[in-house]
Amino acid sequence: MTTDRNRSKTQRTFFNRSIRHQLAWSFGGVALIMMIGLASLLFERQRNFLYSAAMQQSKSLTTSLASSSTSWVLANDIAGLKEVLQGFVGLPDLERAYILSLRGEVLSSTRPDEAGLFVTDEQNQKLLSSSPKTQVLLATARQIDVAAPVMAGMRHVGWARIEMTMNGVNANLRSVVLMGVNFIAFATLTVVTAAILLARRLTRRLHHLMRLAAEVEKGSLDVRAHISGKDEVGILAHSFNQMLDTLSNSERQRERINHLYAAWTESADIIVRESDEVKLLTQVCRIIVNHVAFKLVWVGMHEPDGWVRTVAASHPDSSLLRNIKVSVDESLPEGRGPMGTAIREGIPKIFNNFLNEPSTLPWQPMAAAENINASAAFPLMRGGGCIGAIAVYSAEQDYFTPDLIDLMRGLTDDLSYALDNFDREKLRLKAEHELRIAAAAFESQEGILVTDADNIILRVNKSFTELTGYSADEIIGKPAGILKSGRHDSEFYASMWASINRDKYWQGEIWNKRKNGVIYPEWLCITAITNPEGLVTNYVGTFTDISQRKADEERIKDLAYYDSLTKLPNRTLLFDRLNLALNASNRNKTHGALMFLDLDNFKTLNDTLGHDRGDQLLIEVGRRLQSCVRDVDTVARLGGDEFVIMLECLDEQEIEAAVQTHTVAEKIRSNLAEFYLLKSNIDNNLHPFVEHYSTGSIGFVLFLGACPRMSTLASHIKAPEKI
C-alpha cells in the first residue's frame, strides 16, 4: 500500500511540476485516444461488413438449396436430394445443410445419420408452423442459421436449412485487430516523440525564466530576462522584467518616502521648539539633507528689488549657492528657474530633468559640475502671500514622484504655518497691553472668539461662524464649553488652564465640535487679557481648521506604515509593535506568539487568473485574518502572499499559550479554506464572479519577553526571507 501511495505521489509530481511532461503526455494521450477511436470505428465497420456478407451468403446458399431441391422433394427422390446436398459439402464454414418435409422429416442431410429422422426441437417446430418465407433462425458471432421454403409454384412442399459457422469471418477480424494495434502503437510513438521534441523547444525559455524567478525569490532584484520575441514567452519575459523594475522602483520609493517622512517629523519637533526664524529654517534644511540624499537644500526670500536672497542653506559653502542668481521677474533668464517660478506663481515647480530644461540654462554648467540632475522648489507662504521658497536638488534624474512632492508640500505647509506663527506671536506681544480686545485681529482668516473672565462668549468674527456654523446671535452669551468635542478628558483641560493661568497664553492642537455635530481638529491659541492690576478680564481665542493637514499626515502615515493593497500594517509597523509586545510580555510575564502564513499556490493564481484576481484574494485573506483574531492582536502583510499574525497577552503558562495559539491557527486555516468569490476577468453578466479555493501554510513561535531568539526573529521579519 505504501509503495502504491509513493508511486501515485511521484506520478503527480511528475505531471504537475513539468510543462514538458504535460505537453508530451497530453499530445501522446490525445493521439492514443484518437487512434483507438479511429481503429475502433474501422473495426466496427469491417465487422459489420463481414457479418453482413456472411449473412447474405447464408441466405443465398439456403435459397439456392431450396430451389435446387424442389423437383426432388416432389418426386420424393432421396437419392436426388443427396446429390443436391453433395454439391454443398466442402463449402467453407458450412456446418450442416438439410431438407425437411412439412411433417418434420429430414429428407436428406449433409450428415447421413440424420436422414429419415423427425425433428422435435422447439425451433424446428416453430419453423414448420410458420409462413413460407426465408427466415434467419440464428445470427451470432459464432453461427448463422437460415431456413428457406421449398416451393413448387405456389405450393409449399418443404424447408431447406443451412447452418454456417463464423470462423472465417472471425479470423479476418482478428487480423484487422492486429493491424490496428500495430498502427496505433506506431502512431502514438511517433506523436509522443514529436511532442517531447516540441515541448523541449517551447519550454527552454520558460526554464530560463524559472531560474530567474528562483534568484528573485532569494532576494536578487537586479536580475533580468534576456529573452526576445513577440510570442507569449517573449511577452512574459518583458512583463517579468517590467515587474522587477517596478519592484525595485517601489522599494526605492518606499525608502525615500520613509526618509522624507522622518525628516518631516523631526522638522515638526523643531518648529514647535524653535523661536528664531533663521535658525528654524537652517535646521530644517540640514534635517532634510541628513535624512534624504539631496545634494543641496536652501531657502530663498523675495526681496523688494525682485531678486531672491538666501536666508538658510544645508551647505552654505556650496559653489552653486555662492554663484547662483535668482529673480522673480519672468522676463529675466534668472527668473525662469524653479525657485523664481515657484515664488512668482505660488505653486511647487518641479524640474526632473534639470540639465535639459531650456529655462534652467543659466545654472546648468554649475549644476553639472556638482552632479545635479533634478530640482524642485516649494513656495513658503506668509500672511496669505508667497514670500519665498525652499529649493531641493538631487543627483538622480526623475527623482521627484507625486508621493515625494506631497510630502515636501506638507513640510513646507508646516514651515509656512510656523512663519505665520512667528508673525502672530509678534502681533500678540505688541497688542497685549495696548488693546484689551484686538479688533484688528477680527479681519484675520482665523476664527476668533472673545470671552469674559467667566468664559462666556462676548464676540466672534466671521471666520468663527464659517468654521463652527454658529452665527453670532446663536453663540454670544453661551459658555465656550459648548464647542467641546468630548474627546479630551479633564486632565487635558486642567493642564491647558494651568498654562493659561501661569503664562497668560496657551497654544496647541485641540478637537472641537461644529454646530452640526461634526468633530474637527483645530490649532487654538488662547491669550489671557489682564487689566493694569493684573487681573484677567477677557480671554481671546484664535483658531484655524487643520483637518486637511491632519488628513495629509494620516495619509503619509498610511504610506509609511500600512500596506497600500490590504491596508494592513506593513513590516515597519509590525516591527514597532513587536518591540512594544516584547516589552509588555517581559513586564506582565505573559506569553505572546508570532504566526507566519503564506498562501499555497498563490503564484499559480496570478499566472492563471491574473494579478487583479491575486490582489482580490490578498485583500480577502487580510479581512479573514483580522476576523479570526482579537482587536489587541496584529495582522500584518510582509509582502507578496506572506502575512504575520502577532498574538498578545496569552496565558502565563507556555503550554496553555501554545494551545491558544494552535486554536487560532486552526480557526485561520478553516476560514482560509472556504471558497473565495473573485471578480471574473471576463465580461459576463451571468457569471460576474469565479470561485477559488486557497489554503495557507502556517507556522508559529511563542515568546516571553525580550530574548536572543526573538531578536533573531525580528531581524528575519525586517528582511524579505522566509522563517
Side-chain angles (χ1 to χ4, degrees):
M1 181 65 72
T2 302
T3 303
D4 293 340
R5 285 199 300 267
N6 292 337
R7 184 182 299 110
S8 177
K9 182 178 180 181
T10 302
Q11 291 173 351
R12 289 196 301 271
T13 302
F14 179 79
F15 285 105
N16 292 341
R17 291 189 178 177
S18 174
I19 296 179
R20 289 181 178 177
H21 297 159
Q22 295 180 39
L23 285 174
W25 287 105
S26 296
F27 274 106
V30 170
L32 180 60
I33 292 173
M34 292 180 64
M35 293 300 105
I36 291 176
L38 178 61
S40 299
L41 179 62
L42 294 176
F43 174 78
E44 184 68 20
R45 291 176 63 88
Q46 184 68 15
R47 186 183 65 178
N48 292 339
F49 173 76
L50 292 177
Y51 281 4
S52 176
M55 180 65 67
Q56 291 298 328
Q57 181 185 14
S58 298
K59 288 182 178 180
S60 297
L61 290 176
T62 306
T63 303
S64 176
L65 176 61
S67 61
S68 302
S69 304
T70 301
S71 59
W72 304 109
V73 171
L74 288 174
N76 197 21
D77 189 347
I78 302 303
L81 289 175
K82 286 183 179 181
E83 288 184 10
V84 172
L85 287 175
Q86 191 64 32
F88 287 85
V89 174
L91 290 176
D93 297 330
L94 178 68
E95 183 175 356
R96 184 174 61 170
Y98 57 95
I99 304 296
L100 287 177
S101 68
L102 295 180
R103 295 181 298 110
E105 180 184 2
V106 178
L107 300 178
S108 182
S109 174
T110 55
R111 296 178 182 177
D113 56 337
E114 293 179 350
L117 299 179
F118 285 86
V119 294
T120 58
D121 59 279
E122 182 180 355
Q123 191 177 50
N124 278 308
Q125 293 298 321
K126 185 177 180 181
L127 175 65
L128 293 174
S129 62
S130 63
S131 59
K133 62 180 179 180
T134 302
Q135 301 180 30
V136 178
L137 303 179
L138 181 65
T140 66
R142 293 187 177 184
Q143 187 178 12
I144 296 176
D145 190 350
V146 180
V150 179
M151 304 294 293
M154 299 298 293
R155 179 184 173 191
H156 182 202
V157 296
W159 288 95
R161 186 171 174 182
I162 291 180
E163 296 178 5
M164 303 286 291
T165 65
M166 299 292 286
N167 294 336
V169 173
N170 291 333
N172 289 335
L173 289 178
R174 285 193 293 271
S175 176
V176 170
V177 169
L178 180 60
M179 291 177 61
V181 169
N182 291 335
F183 173 74
I184 290 172
F186 175 76
T188 302
L189 179 62
T190 302
V191 172
V192 168
T193 302
I196 291 174
L197 296 176
L198 179 61
R200 287 183 176 276
R201 182 178 181 277
L202 292 177
T203 59
R204 183 173 61 253
R205 293 182 295 171
L206 286 177
H207 278 252
H208 174 64
L209 288 178
M210 289 172 60
R211 290 192 295 271
L212 294 181
E215 293 296 324
V216 173
E217 187 177 1
K218 295 176 182 178
S220 300
L221 297 179
D222 56 343
V223 297
R224 294 296 182 272
H226 302 289
I227 297 176
S228 59
K230 296 183 179 180
D231 58 357
E232 289 83 352
V233 179
I235 295 173
L236 177 62
H238 180 69
S239 300
F240 183 80
N241 290 338
Q242 286 187 328
M243 179 192 69
L244 292 178
D245 292 338
T246 302
L247 287 176
S248 300
N249 292 334
S250 298
E251 187 68 18
R252 288 197 300 269
Q253 187 65 15
R254 186 186 64 81
E255 291 179 359
R256 292 171 182 173
I257 290 174
N258 290 340
H259 291 320
L260 188 52
Y261 181 75
W264 186 359
T265 304
E266 188 173 342
S267 298
D269 294 337
I270 299 297
I271 289 172
V272 174
R273 297 195 304 267
E274 187 57 61
S275 59
D276 184 273
E277 181 177 323
V278 175
K279 289 183 179 179
L280 169 64
L281 295 175
T282 301
Q283 290 187 60
V284 169
C285 290
R286 291 174 179 172
I287 289 171
I288 295 174
V289 167
N290 289 338
H291 284 278
V292 187
F294 286 136
K295 301 288 289 185
L296 174 66
V297 179
W298 67 284
V299 177
M301 295 295 180
H302 179 205
E303 293 294 314
D305 59 1
W307 294 95
V308 176
R309 175 176 57 90
T310 303
V311 297
S314 61
H315 300 83
D317 57 345
S318 169
S319 174
L320 174 66
L321 193 60
R322 288 198 309 267
N323 296 294
I324 196 171
K325 290 183 64 178
V326 177
S327 172
V328 295
D329 189 349
E330 187 177 7
S331 63
L332 298 176
E334 293 85 354
R336 300 168 191 160
M339 173 70 78
T341 306
I343 296 175
R344 182 173 59 254
E345 298 179 0
I347 58 176
K349 195 64 178 177
I350 313 299
F351 288 88
N352 268 321
N353 193 359
F354 189 81
L355 297 181
N356 293 316
E357 289 285 346
S359 57
T360 63
L361 189 60
W363 307 281
Q364 288 179 7
M366 293 180 287
E370 297 199 18
N371 191 28
I372 292 174
N373 290 283
S375 176
F378 299 87
L380 292 174
M381 312 301 290
R382 197 169 196 170
C386 183
I387 51 92
I390 180 170
V392 292
Y393 298 86
S394 173
E396 185 176 338
Q397 188 173 314
D398 297 323
Y399 183 88
F400 296 98
T401 61
D403 290 334
L404 292 176
I405 293 172
D406 288 344
L407 286 175
M408 281 299 302
R409 291 183 66 176
L411 191 154
T412 52
D413 286 346
D414 282 358
L415 283 177
S416 298
Y417 188 78
L419 295 177
D420 281 339
N421 269 348
F422 285 130
D423 293 341
R424 285 190 290 268
E425 182 68 11
K426 291 176 182 178
L427 290 174
R428 186 189 67 82
L429 294 174
K430 180 180 180 181
E432 185 176 11
H433 296 290
E434 296 177 358
L435 298 173
R436 295 293 180 261
I437 301 175
F442 276 74
E443 301 303 324
S444 171
Q445 297 299 315
E446 299 177 334
I448 299 176
L449 75 159
V450 180
T451 71
D452 61 13
D454 296 326
N455 220 21
I456 301 300
I457 298 175
L458 301 177
R459 190 175 179 184
V460 297
N461 68 349
K462 182 179 179 181
S463 295
F464 176 93
T465 62
E466 292 175 351
L467 291 172
T468 64
Y470 288 100
S471 66
D473 294 337
E474 291 175 321
I475 201 68
I476 290 176
K478 301 290 180 63
I482 194 174
L483 301 174
K484 286 184 178 181
S485 65
R487 281 200 175 189
H488 303 291
D489 55 19
S490 58
E491 294 181 359
F492 173 85
Y493 291 106
S495 175
M496 181 183 74
W497 282 107
S499 176
I500 295 172
N501 294 331
R502 181 182 65 252
D503 304 324
K504 301 299 183 287
Y505 179 77
W506 179 88
Q507 69 173 350
E509 183 181 309
I510 190 171
W511 290 84
N512 274 340
K513 182 170 63 176
R514 307 187 203 273
K515 178 183 177 180
N516 59 8
V518 174
I519 297 173
Y520 69 102
E522 64 182 31
W523 185 263
L524 175 63
C525 299
I526 300 177
T527 302
I529 308 299
T530 60
N531 59 18
E533 290 76 27
L535 298 177
V536 175
T537 59
N538 299 91
Y539 295 101
V540 178
T542 63
F543 62 94
T544 57
D545 187 347
I546 59 172
S547 300
Q548 184 60 44
R549 183 163 68 89
K550 295 287 290 183
D552 291 341
E553 291 176 354
E554 287 299 319
R555 189 168 65 85
I556 293 166
K557 180 180 177 182
D558 287 343
L559 289 173
Y561 293 101
Y562 291 89
D563 176 56
S564 60
L565 177 64
T566 63
K567 308 305 179 185
L568 296 175
N570 61 13
R571 185 184 292 112
T572 302
L573 183 54
L574 172 64
F575 190 66
D576 290 342
R577 291 186 180 179
L578 177 59
N579 286 331
L580 294 176
L582 290 173
N583 293 332
S585 175
N586 188 44
R587 183 171 58 254
N588 301 328
K589 304 303 180 186
T590 57
H591 284 83
L594 279 178
M595 305 175 67
F596 297 84
L597 180 146
D598 63 356
L599 301 179
D600 300 331
N601 301 320
F602 181 71
K603 182 178 182 298
T604 302
L605 170 65
N606 277 340
D607 291 344
T608 55
L609 297 183
H611 289 276
D612 289 343
R613 310 294 90 69
D615 290 346
Q616 292 178 36
L617 178 63
L618 291 175
I619 293 172
E620 181 60 26
V621 168
R623 292 173 182 165
R624 294 190 184 184
L625 292 178
Q626 287 181 306
S627 69
C628 294
V629 299
R630 305 164 297 176
D631 292 339
V632 71
D633 301 324
T634 297
V635 178
R637 181 188 177 204
L638 294 185
D641 62 334
E642 297 179 343
F643 295 83
V644 172
I645 302 97
M646 182 174 70
L647 307 179
E648 298 184 50
C649 303
L650 300 178
D651 200 273
E652 295 180 1
Q653 301 298 322
E654 184 174 0
I655 295 177
E656 292 298 324
V659 171
Q660 295 177 30
T661 306
H662 187 269
T663 302
V664 174
E666 285 296 323
K667 183 178 179 182
I668 291 173
R669 185 189 63 79
S670 177
N671 280 6
L672 295 185
E674 296 179 5
F675 73 89
Y676 298 81
L677 285 179
L678 305 180
K679 289 184 178 180
S680 175
N681 56 0
I682 299 175
D683 188 12
N684 190 339
N685 294 330
L686 296 178
H687 302 285
F689 297 95
V690 295
E691 289 188 7
H692 177 75
Y693 289 87
S694 179
T695 58
S697 300
I698 305 175
F700 68 87
V701 60
L702 298 178
F703 62 83
L704 178 61
C707 63
R709 181 176 61 178
M710 291 312 300
S711 299
T712 302
L713 187 61
S715 68
H716 281 290
I717 294 175
K718 294 172 68 178
E721 299 175 356
K722 292 186 178 180
I723 304 299

